[in-house]
Amino acid sequence: SCAAYGVTLVCVASENEENAKKRKPVKRTKRGKNTKRATTGETGKYERGTRSYTMSRIRGKDTKIEVLVRSYLFRRGLRFRKNDKRYPGHPDIVLPKYHVIVFVNGCFWHMHGCSRSRLPRSNQDYWKPKIERNIQRDIESQQKLEADGWKVIVVWECELKKRIAEERLSRLCDEIRKNGDSAESQKN
């Protein structure tokens, strides 16, 4: 028992037990493909404080899809700068030799229009304006870059699924090299 450790611990332990009794238990159910989340008072699939922690782990750069694209381009002999802040929109990949900029966009954060780009049902007053600002910022930065003479290529997260990633990355490589060839011919 806690009495052996001192009176203070006994008080703290009894207070925690009282608080635990006051809290509502979180309903946890196993969800299969065909089951829906209960709508009766359940706030989501996370316990209190867990959602904040989870969201804090979402990265702005060096995401898995960015690393996948960069490693593919590097293996193909292309050299680039990453996350260069000198350009509008802080592009993920800048290839100065080819005068190409590549944005690797997550479908949710930039609302691609595929199945991964649905707005959350909860807290839509927060999510809708946030995502709309992201879309507007993307459009503005791409227009500025194109006005400066850069070729802008956007690679979407859903295009990097295992079964189609190789084909999309191969196409990306071809687009970059093709732009480099046209840039060379314009100089001569």
Side-chain angles (χ1 to χ4, degrees):
S1 90
C2 292
Y5 297 108
V7 178
T8 310
L9 277 175
V10 173
C11 294
V12 171
S14 63
E15 285 178 24
N16 286 338
E17 289 171 11
E18 288 175 23
N19 289 337
K21 290 176 185 175
K22 290 178 186 176
R23 283 191 220 118
K24 292 181 181 177
V26 177
K27 294 179 183 177
R28 294 244 175 213
T29 58
K30 279 192 171 180
R31 291 178 46 203
K33 288 184 178 178
N34 297 326
T35 59
K36 292 183 180 178
R37 182 177 288 145
T39 56
T40 56
E42 190 175 331
T43 58
K45 67 180 183 175
Y46 297 113
E47 291 182 21
R48 181 180 210 102
T50 309
R51 182 184 304 273
S52 176
Y53 175 80
T54 303
M55 294 301 286
S56 73
R57 296 294 172 253
I58 297 173
R59 301 162 126 183
K61 56 186 176 182
D62 293 332
T63 61
K64 285 183 183 178
I65 55 177
E66 281 182 40
V67 171
L68 175 75
V69 173
R70 288 198 314 248
S71 64
Y72 183 88
L73 295 177
F74 193 86
R75 280 180 299 189
R76 298 297 179 272
L78 298 170
R79 300 300 178 251
F80 48 82
R81 295 186 194 129
K82 62 179 199 158
N83 306 108
D84 199 333
K85 294 181 179 173
R86 294 178 292 174
Y87 302 103
H90 307 294
D92 301 313
I93 301 169
V94 179
L95 297 116
K97 178 180 176 182
Y98 300 97
H99 218 64
V100 172
I101 286 182
V102 180
F103 287 98
V104 183
N105 288 346
C107 295
F108 170 75
W109 296 106
H110 301 271
M111 279 295 138
H112 178 220
C114 66
S115 64
R116 296 176 183 212
S117 61
R118 284 185 301 225
L119 276 175
R121 288 188 207 143
S122 62
N123 205 6
Q124 286 197 345
D125 294 338
Y126 169 78
W127 285 110
K128 193 170 184 341
K130 178 176 181 58
I131 300 297
E132 286 174 352
R133 283 192 313 267
N134 288 353
I135 294 168
Q136 189 59 39
R137 193 178 320 115
D138 290 344
I139 292 169
E140 289 170 5
S141 61
Q142 285 181 18
Q143 288 173 346
K144 287 177 186 174
L145 290 166
E146 288 171 350
D148 290 342
W150 289 91
K151 169 140 174 77
V152 178
I153 302 172
V154 178
V155 178
W156 292 98
E157 176 185 14
C158 63
E159 295 175 323
L160 299 174
K161 291 179 185 174
K162 288 190 180 206
R163 64 180 190 276
I164 57 174
E166 183 68 33
E167 187 265 326
R168 175 58 179 121
L169 292 171
S170 174
R171 237 180 346 149
L172 172 65
C173 237
D174 293 343
E175 285 180 77
I176 292 169
R177 288 201 167 109
K178 184 175 73 173
N179 194 67
D181 294 339
S182 65
E184 287 289 321
S185 64
Q186 288 176 358
K187 287 181 183 178
N188 295 334

